[in-house]
Amino acid sequence: MTDTVTDAGYDSMRARLVDYLRLHVGMEQISERVLQAIGNVPRHLFVRERDREFAYNDYPISIGHGQTISAPHIVAIMCTLMDVKAGMRILEIGAGSGYHAAVLAELTGERGTVYSVERIPELMKFAQQNLSNAGYRNVVVTTGDGTLGLPEHAPYDRIVVACAAPAIPEPLTDQLKHGGRMTIPIGGRVQELYMIRKNEVISKEKIGAVVFVPLIGKYGF
Ligand code: SAH
């Protein structure tokens, strides 16, 4: 272990990150429950070893293969929009480091499950390893084209797309439960984050501008 920071050091960095999010992003966009979940997830175990000391700063960090772990505030905002209740079945597209899945796992609890699909096999292994090191047993990471969803465990209460899509992939709305919610960034270099609600009709609410890596696949770029 080449770590120069102690566990107590990471704990206090994490507490400072939570305070920062509470003060600077604000409670309209981030719920107290989500802040607690962020406060429980050891984010330094979801970046490469050399980047651990930066893990509690509010910006994205490279995880290799041209991909990034999203900034904490964006994870917090998306998780708040998802309004996750204990026991829910959640699908994430784009596991990356596994961090966002870990925050969702905190929110759905032991009775719920998070399924996460990752296109790049090396990152699927990275996410699995990180989640296992951090002690999460209710997250299942698989490799494949997430634009097709994961029909074998559908329907889902919530779907989170962690990469930018040209449009909403139809398999994802098909695999969303009635009464379910999905968050997805749509657009080119800069995207709009949308919250989708599936009831008798599918409604789309624009949340704000975001920048994600592209969703690559059959119903992606
Ligand atoms: N949620 C991640 C960050 C995701 S970055 C975290 O918390 O660290 C977006 C990820 O989506 C990348 O790892 C990229 O490889 C993946 N991706 C892109 N297109 C995909 C697809 N069609 N299916 C599954 N994963 C995809």
Side-chain angles (χ1 to χ4, degrees):
M1 193 61 61
T2 54
D3 252 349
T4 50
V5 182
T6 61
D7 282 350
Y10 286 125
D11 289 349
S12 72
M13 285 171 158
R14 187 158 59 252
R16 255 185 285 142
L17 170 64
V18 169
D19 287 344
Y20 168 86
L21 293 173
R22 185 181 282 121
L23 281 169
H24 293 277
V25 187
M27 301 312 288
E28 272 151 48
Q29 287 193 89
I30 306 181
S31 73
E32 193 56 41
R33 195 161 170 263
V34 167
L35 285 175
Q36 270 180 27
I38 300 261
N40 285 340
V41 181
R43 188 171 153 96
H44 61 284
L45 300 184
F46 291 85
V47 295
R48 294 181 293 187
E49 220 167 290
R50 61 169 181 267
D51 294 321
R52 282 188 176 170
E53 61 183 299
F54 310 114
Y56 294 101
N57 296 340
D58 192 24
Y59 49 66
I61 298 172
S62 167
I63 51 173
H65 308 276
Q67 310 301 325
T68 53
I69 174 174
S70 311
H73 76 272
I74 199 73
V75 173
I77 290 170
M78 286 173 90
C79 285
T80 301
L81 288 168
M82 288 284 86
D83 188 26
V84 176
K85 308 269 194 283
M88 281 186 166
R89 179 186 299 224
I90 303 170
L91 175 66
E92 179 190 36
I93 309 305
S97 67
Y99 176 74
H100 197 152
V103 179
L104 292 167
E106 288 281 340
L107 294 166
T108 192
E110 302 266 288
R111 287 189 297 117
T113 309
V114 179
Y115 295 94
S116 189
V117 185
E118 172 53 51
R119 187 178 72 91
I120 300 173
E122 290 87 345
L123 286 179
M124 176 204 68
K125 292 202 195 89
F126 182 61
Q128 282 176 335
Q129 191 61 57
N130 297 340
L131 286 157
S132 154
N133 291 344
Y136 290 96
R137 277 177 279 279
N138 56 341
V139 184
V140 180
V141 189
T142 53
T143 189
D145 178 3
T147 69
L148 305 172
L150 194 64
E152 50 270 49
H153 300 291
Y156 301 95
D157 298 290
R158 302 288 186 259
I159 299 180
V160 178
V161 183
C163 24
I168 304 169
E170 214 178 289
L172 299 184
T173 38
D174 289 348
Q175 291 170 34
L176 189 61
K177 267 188 198 167
H178 275 269
R181 294 181 177 196
M182 165 161 64
T183 50
I184 180 167
I186 296 178
R189 282 167 66 87
V190 177
Q191 310 100 37
E192 281 289 344
L193 181 66
Y194 280 85
M195 166 136 89
I196 312 298
R197 288 185 180 84
K198 182 174 176 178
N199 292 301
E200 289 72 43
V201 291
I202 289 171
S203 68
K204 299 175 199 162
E205 186 187 338
K206 249 189 204 180
I207 304 298
V210 286
V211 178
F212 277 84
V213 296
L215 175 75
I216 296 165
K218 184 165 178 210
Y219 295 88
F221 286 103

